[in-house]
Amino acid sequence: MTESNFWLKKIEISVSEAEKRTGRNAMNMQETYTAYLIETRSVEHTDGQSVLTDSLWRRYSEFELLRNYLLVYYPHIVVPPLPEKRAEFVWHKLSADNMDPDFVERRRIGLENFLLRVASHPILCRDKIFYLFLTQEGNWKETVNETGFQLKADSRLKALNATFRVKNPDKRFTELKHYSDELQSVISHLLRVRARVADRLYGVYKVHGNYGRVFSEWSAIEKEMGDGLQSAGHHMDVYASSIDDILEDEEHYADQLKEYLFYAEALRAVCRKHELMQYDLEMAAQDLASKKQQCEELATGTVRTFSLKGMTTKLFGQETPEQREARIKVLEEQINEGEQQLKSKNLEGREFVKNAWADIERFKEQKNHDLKEALISYAVMQISMCKKGIQVWTNAKECFSKM
Amino acid sequence: MRGSIPVPWDHDLSRRQLLDRLSHPGAPINNFIKMTESNFWLKKIEISVSEAEKRTGRNAMNMQETYTAYLIETRSVEHTDGQSVLTDSLWRRYSEFELLRNYLLVYYPHIVVPPLPEKRAEFVWHKLSADNMDPDFVERRRIGLENFLLRVASHPILCRDKIFYLFLTQEGNWKETVNETGFQLKADSRLKALNATFRVKNPDKRFTELKHYSDELQSVISHLLRVRARVADRLYGVYKVHGNYGRVFSEWSAIEKEMGDGLQSAGHHMDVYASSIDDILEDEEHYADQLKEYLFYAEALRAVCRKHELMQYDLEMAAQDLASKKQQCEELATGTVRTFSLKGMTTKLFGQETPEQREARIKVLEEQINEGEQQLKSKNLEGREFVKNAWADIERFKEQKNHDLKEALISYAVMQISMCKKGIQVWTNAKECFSKM
């Protein structure tokens, strides 16, 4: 069982537990954090049994490290997002506390989802660092840092600069960037509406608990209707308390939407990389063109462009033919080098666009499928809620009829 | 009288309720023969308050006022062919209904007199205004007034009242006719009634219990109405917020290619869902009105209890007075003065009275005692008659109440079930749209 045939067998990855830990952080201060147990099982083809092959604990920051590494080494891939670091779009019941058991549980599911996404990606799943993340507990952080990926990362400033100054980005990426902005906006709205619906629905159900109390009160003063009212009151209480489970289930639907909220950012990252590469290319081409022009001017003797050499020539006298030959030679070398670089940058750029677009198509299909499933799940949940409502009120009606 | 009801609005719940109410046991069987007021009730009668109209007129202080007039139509239904013929049609305003009810309260104190719909809107949830001129309020009041007339018409005793008959048939001069009965003079003063409540020594235990029950019923129904208003308000919020879903899906459909149509259609279903709440809550108002009627019925119950307390107190006072006179008589006859009296005092101060004077006084007292004994006998009889008749009507009322409240609760449950079914429909449609994406 080695890395290469790790993926030959069917692999099951799960983040099965979450545990509170205390330890010392980088500044040697005590801190509390949550550790997650990652279990990997290989499934034998023949009998379908699964054997536990690896099991280790990771904390959220290690997941972040893994993802940042993937972002640097696979800039043409839409890298799956991590679940949110802090709870957002909460409705009143949930606290925004990272230690809250419900939040930890939902994060556990989110982290498992992240690993499954990476493991099912045709390119990312083959990454060695990812393999080690699942199999090598100690020293993994050092191994990742040794790749020197942080040095390779494009600086934010550089990326921002490129976004504003690039002249001819591929139109498809520009459209994609707009789309990801709009998708993020729409999903944010959707999540806000969903939180509001959950909140009001909670209110409606809980107020039915009041019905339970009133019916109970009423049953105390009636002779013939007493039993019926008491039973009906009981059904109202059942109805009122059913909302807690319903809304817990409904959180999962919200989490599915949130994943795509964060995927929008991953899309934008790919677009930014393209802009950076394109800008780099444009700068290199511009530099080459300028050098060629300089060379030409030196060769013909005309000075059409302003240059420091031209200035000094004017001030301190013409240079000798030997000096000029030397300079032309240097420039010609630089031009050769530049043309090679431009050729390879061009190639790189086209490769990037091709690969990126392939992954984007894959992502689009995945997105359409997942969001469709999420919406269907939400509709199914609403239908199930209505059915439960029918059940409760039919029971209440029975109680009333028997009075 | 057995009255079939023309349904002024097409609402299955209310129709069933009204029909049930009138086919309820306790409705009288008619024995009248002559065709006039007396056999008004022989034919099947349909009473409806079919219209409401804004009017302006001058009030008692000759100032301009706006009020609403209600059209009361009475139809007799031919037995043979079931056709209904309009026999009477007149306009009344709310104050005339009040006058009718006050009259009935005075002349039938042993009856639980049906209540009128509320004068001003209470227990409103946010959508309704508390304005008496509001069309929804006027409409609900129209229904309530019709309900009141049907209740009276289906009551075995009240339906035979002449003033009620004239209310339905004689437009002009009716107010004068009612006032001529002098019923306002017969009415017990509030102060007298309050006094009796506190001082009566031996009221019939059943009435005391009934009074407690009516207090508790009123309290419970108030709570119920408050909870119902709160549920309606939050339900309204939930449905309307689904309109936001409609907007977001619409927004989303604009940026998607493959999913665009599905999202657009789903958004449409969300909008339909959001707007469906208005009709639902309008229907739900009727359920609230049915509860409110019994809130007001509690007061009618208490009125009967108060009358009993008054009569009992009157009886106790008369008995006390008689006992005191008898004692006085005895003292005069035997010459012993055990009780303090003004005569005793003056006798001490001014000298004994003559035997003739004493005889005269004994004679007067004996007459008073006779009279008193007669009165006490008749008051006792009256009291027992009252208790008997009142209790009969209370039993009738209890059955009616149990039946009506049970029906109202069943209607509410049915409405909730229907709401859930509509929800299933909308979300199934939305699910279809999503599946087709």
Side-chain angles (χ1 to χ4, degrees):
Chain A
M1 182 62 169
T2 54
E3 178 192 340
S4 28
N5 69 357
F6 183 66
W7 303 113
L8 277 180
K9 296 181 179 297
K10 249 173 129 179
I11 301 296
E12 285 177 4
I13 305 174
S14 65
V15 177
S16 48
E17 277 172 53
E19 209 175 78
K20 238 188 214 172
R21 300 251 178 105
T22 41
R24 292 204 171 277
N25 66 8
M27 291 168 284
N28 208 31
M29 287 163 66
Q30 258 229 336
E31 57 161 3
T32 317
Y33 63 92
T34 312
Y36 300 88
L37 177 64
I38 306 173
E39 294 183 314
T40 316
R41 290 178 158 72
S42 73
V43 183
E44 296 293 324
H45 282 301
T46 42
D47 57 7
Q49 294 268 45
S50 76
V51 176
L52 183 67
T53 55
D54 292 276
S55 158
L56 40 69
W57 293 86
R58 295 271 184 226
R59 53 185 294 189
Y60 188 87
S61 55
E62 293 176 283
F63 281 85
E64 280 186 306
L65 190 60
L66 171 64
R67 185 166 191 273
N68 289 339
Y69 161 84
L70 292 172
L71 281 171
V72 171
Y73 272 92
Y74 302 90
H76 57 293
I77 302 289
V78 184
V79 177
L82 284 170
E84 51 191 354
K85 195 151 193 172
R86 310 203 183 304
E88 261 180 76
F89 296 108
V90 290
W91 60 277
H92 81 280
K93 189 177 159 277
L94 297 177
S95 64
D97 172 24
N98 281 9
M99 289 291 142
D100 181 79
D102 284 328
F103 178 75
V104 167
E105 171 62 15
R106 284 175 39 240
R107 199 198 241 189
R108 183 192 66 72
I109 293 169
L111 291 174
E112 183 177 279
N113 193 52
F114 167 75
L115 292 178
L116 292 171
R117 290 279 194 202
V118 175
S120 61
H121 191 286
I123 294 167
L124 295 178
C125 69
R126 298 202 186 105
D127 185 274
K128 176 160 190 163
I129 295 291
F130 175 58
Y131 167 75
L132 293 173
F133 182 86
L134 296 173
T135 57
Q136 177 188 306
E137 184 150 26
N139 257 0
W140 178 81
K141 278 173 82 170
E142 287 76 7
T143 312
V144 188
N145 289 328
E146 274 165 22
T147 61
F149 79 92
Q150 277 113 336
L151 301 169
K152 289 202 174 63
D154 298 312
S155 78
R156 278 193 169 276
L157 192 58
K158 203 169 156 207
L160 196 64
N161 190 40
T163 304
F164 284 118
R165 290 183 172 205
V166 66
K167 291 195 180 70
N168 290 311
D170 185 318
K171 239 193 212 140
R172 290 179 298 173
F173 284 94
T174 315
E175 280 169 16
L176 186 68
K177 217 167 51 148
H178 285 155
Y179 172 75
S180 63
D181 288 337
E182 288 172 329
L183 183 70
Q184 186 169 329
S185 165
V186 158
I187 295 185
S188 298
H189 283 170
L190 202 55
L191 286 167
R192 264 197 297 276
V193 173
R194 175 247 145 209
R196 220 175 298 158
V197 170
D199 196 51
R200 291 189 191 193
L201 215 53
Y202 185 79
V204 170
Y205 273 70
K206 284 305 175 189
V207 118
H208 277 74
N210 292 11
Y211 264 138
R213 268 196 296 285
V214 176
F215 284 155
S216 222
E217 236 180 275
W218 197 354
S219 71
I221 65 170
E222 296 289 344
K223 296 187 193 73
E224 301 90 348
M225 306 209 287
D227 292 331
L229 287 170
Q230 183 86 317
S231 315
H234 167 74
H235 289 297
M236 293 297 103
D237 290 331
V238 168
Y239 188 66
S241 57
S242 69
I243 190 64
D244 296 299
D245 289 338
I246 290 171
L247 287 175
E248 237 176 78
D249 290 344
E250 207 244 10
E251 282 303 323
H252 294 303
Y253 151 78
D255 286 338
Q256 288 173 314
L257 289 179
K258 268 188 224 174
E259 195 194 15
Y260 278 89
L261 194 70
F262 305 141
Y263 254 125
E265 177 52 35
L267 269 179
R268 278 199 293 275
V270 176
C271 297
R272 276 198 301 272
K273 183 68 182 179
H274 164 75
E275 284 169 345
L276 219 113
M277 292 180 79
Q278 181 67 13
Y279 178 68
D280 220 27
L281 187 78
E282 285 171 8
M283 286 293 104
Q286 200 177 300
D287 189 58
L288 184 68
S290 140
K291 282 197 160 69
K292 282 184 171 173
Q293 182 137 20
Q294 272 193 289
C295 202
E296 197 211 316
E297 283 170 13
L298 278 178
T300 60
T302 50
V303 183
R304 265 167 299 167
T305 56
F306 175 83
S307 75
L308 196 58
K309 201 73 192 147
M311 273 304 293
T312 52
T313 306
K314 284 210 146 96
L315 292 168
F316 304 113
Q318 284 275 22
E319 54 185 352
T320 66
E322 292 82 17
Q323 281 172 325
R324 201 167 53 170
E325 281 302 321
R327 278 216 287 134
I328 288 176
K329 216 171 181 58
V330 166
L331 272 172
E332 278 176 349
E333 268 175 47
Q334 285 178 340
I335 286 169
N336 266 336
E337 217 176 289
E339 275 178 342
Q340 300 282 27
Q341 273 195 11
L342 193 65
K343 207 182 270 188
S344 76
K345 275 197 209 288
N346 248 316
L347 205 72
E348 246 184 75
R350 282 200 297 272
E351 268 301 296
F352 177 88
V353 168
K354 188 181 87 175
N355 294 332
W357 213 258
D359 196 58
I360 284 160
E361 290 299 328
R362 181 205 59 79
F363 168 77
K364 278 183 181 175
E365 267 196 59
Q366 175 197 294
K367 172 212 79 176
N368 286 349
H369 175 268
D370 291 349
L371 289 175
K372 170 176 157 176
E373 287 303 306
L375 290 168
I376 290 176
S377 301
Y378 187 74
V380 165
M381 188 201 83
Q382 292 288 342
I383 291 170
S384 139
M385 270 175 64
C386 290
K387 287 189 173 162
K388 279 196 186 130
I390 288 181
Q391 193 178 46
V392 166
W393 282 107
T394 306
N395 290 342
K397 186 181 153 204
E398 282 301 304
C399 296
F400 295 145
S401 301
K402 289 193 187 127
M403 294 198 308
Chain B
M1 180 220 78
R2 294 187 134 264
S4 69
I5 320 306
V7 181
W9 73 101
D10 214 16
H11 198 290
D12 286 333
L13 297 174
S14 314
R15 183 205 300 260
R16 184 181 71 209
Q17 185 204 10
L18 290 169
L19 285 175
D20 282 350
R21 192 180 298 152
L22 288 186
S23 60
H24 171 65
I29 300 160
N30 271 289
N31 294 315
F32 296 104
I33 311 164
K34 276 169 65 179
M35 178 61 171
T36 46
E37 174 199 338
S38 21
N39 70 359
F40 182 67
W41 305 114
L42 191 65
K43 294 182 181 297
K44 252 170 131 181
I45 301 296
E46 288 177 2
I47 304 174
S48 66
V49 178
S50 48
E51 277 172 54
E53 209 175 78
K54 237 188 214 171
R55 300 252 178 107
T56 41
R58 293 205 171 276
N59 67 8
M61 292 169 282
N62 207 30
M63 287 163 63
Q64 259 228 336
E65 56 161 4
T66 317
Y67 64 90
T68 312
Y70 299 89
L71 178 64
I72 306 174
E73 294 183 315
T74 316
R75 291 177 158 71
S76 74
V77 183
E78 296 293 324
H79 283 301
T80 43
D81 57 6
Q83 295 268 48
S84 75
V85 176
L86 184 66
T87 55
D88 292 276
S89 156
L90 39 69
W91 293 85
R92 294 273 184 225
R93 53 185 295 189
Y94 187 87
S95 54
E96 293 176 280
F97 281 85
E98 281 185 305
L99 189 61
L100 171 65
R101 186 168 189 272
N102 289 339
Y103 162 84
L104 292 173
L105 282 171
V106 171
Y107 272 93
Y108 302 90
H110 59 292
I111 301 291
V112 184
V113 177
L116 284 171
E118 52 192 354
K119 193 150 195 174
R120 308 202 185 308
E122 259 179 77
F123 295 110
V124 291
W125 60 276
H126 80 280
K127 189 177 158 281
L128 297 176
S129 64
D131 172 24
N132 281 9
M133 289 290 141
D134 180 81
D136 284 328
F137 179 74
V138 168
E139 172 62 15
R140 285 172 42 240
R141 198 197 242 192
R142 183 190 65 72
I143 293 168
L145 292 173
E146 184 177 280
N147 193 52
F148 166 75
L149 292 178
L150 292 170
R151 290 279 195 201
V152 176
S154 62
H155 191 286
I157 294 168
L158 295 178
C159 68
R160 299 201 185 106
D161 186 273
K162 175 159 190 163
I163 295 291
F164 175 57
Y165 167 73
L166 292 174
F167 182 86
L168 296 174
T169 58
Q170 178 189 306
E171 184 150 26
N173 257 1
W174 177 81
K175 277 172 83 168
E176 288 74 9
T177 312
V178 188
N179 289 328
E180 274 165 21
T181 61
F183 80 92
Q184 277 114 336
L185 301 167
K186 290 203 174 63
D188 299 312
S189 78
R190 279 192 169 278
L191 192 58
K192 203 170 156 210
L194 196 64
N195 190 40
T197 304
F198 285 117
R199 291 183 171 203
V200 66
K201 293 195 180 70
N202 291 312
D204 185 319
K205 239 194 209 138
R206 289 179 298 174
F207 284 94
T208 315
E209 279 169 16
L210 186 69
K211 216 168 52 149
H212 285 155
Y213 172 75
S214 63
D215 287 337
E216 288 172 328
L217 183 70
Q218 186 170 327
S219 165
V220 158
I221 295 185
S222 299
H223 282 170
L224 202 55
L225 286 167
R226 263 198 297 276
V227 173
R228 175 247 146 208
R230 221 175 298 158
V231 170
D233 196 51
R234 291 190 189 190
L235 216 52
Y236 186 80
V238 169
Y239 273 69
K240 283 306 175 189
V241 117
H242 277 75
N244 292 11
Y245 264 138
R247 267 196 297 285
V248 175
F249 285 154
S250 222
E251 234 180 277
W252 197 354
S253 71
I255 64 171
E256 295 288 344
K257 296 187 194 72
E258 301 91 348
M259 306 209 287
D261 291 331
L263 288 169
Q264 183 84 320
S265 315
H268 166 74
H269 289 298
M270 294 296 104
D271 289 332
V272 168
Y273 187 65
S275 57
S276 70
I277 190 64
D278 296 300
D279 289 339
I280 289 171
L281 288 176
E282 237 176 77
D283 290 346
E284 207 245 9
E285 282 302 323
H286 294 303
Y287 151 78
D289 286 338
Q290 290 172 317
L291 288 179
K292 267 187 225 176
E293 196 194 14
Y294 278 90
L295 194 69
F296 305 140
Y297 253 124
E299 177 51 37
L301 270 179
R302 278 199 293 274
V304 176
C305 297
R306 276 198 300 270
K307 183 69 183 178
H308 164 74
E309 283 169 347
L310 219 114
M311 292 179 78
Q312 181 67 14
Y313 178 67
D314 220 28
L315 186 77
E316 286 171 8
M317 285 295 103
Q320 201 176 302
D321 189 59
L322 184 68
S324 142
K325 282 197 161 67
K326 282 184 172 174
Q327 184 140 16
Q328 271 193 295
C329 202
E330 196 213 314
E331 282 169 13
L332 279 177
T334 60
T336 49
V337 182
R338 266 168 296 166
T339 57
F340 175 83
S341 75
L342 197 58
K343 201 75 194 144
M345 273 301 295
T346 52
T347 307
K348 283 212 149 94
L349 291 169
F350 303 113
Q352 284 274 21
E353 51 183 354
T354 67
E356 290 83 15
Q357 282 171 321
R358 201 166 52 168
E359 280 302 321
R361 277 214 290 139
I362 288 175
K363 216 173 181 60
V364 165
L365 270 173
E366 280 177 347
E367 271 176 44
Q368 285 178 341
I369 287 169
N370 265 337
E371 217 176 290
E373 277 178 341
Q374 300 280 29
Q375 273 194 13
L376 193 66
K377 206 182 270 186
S378 77
K379 276 198 209 288
N380 247 315
L381 206 72
E382 244 183 78
R384 281 201 297 273
E385 267 302 294
F386 178 88
V387 167
K388 189 181 87 177
N389 293 332
W391 214 258
D393 197 59
I394 285 160
E395 289 299 327
R396 181 206 61 80
F397 169 77
K398 277 183 181 174
E399 265 195 62
Q400 176 196 293
K401 172 212 79 178
N402 286 348
H403 176 269
D404 290 350
L405 288 175
K406 170 176 157 176
E407 286 302 306
L409 290 168
I410 291 176
S411 300
Y412 186 74
V414 166
M415 188 200 83
Q416 292 287 343
I417 291 170
S418 139
M419 269 175 66
C420 291
K421 287 190 174 159
K422 280 199 186 128
I424 289 181
Q425 194 179 47
V426 165
W427 282 107
T428 307
N429 290 341
K431 187 180 151 205
E432 282 303 304
C433 295
F434 294 145
S435 302
K436 290 196 186 122
M437 294 197 309

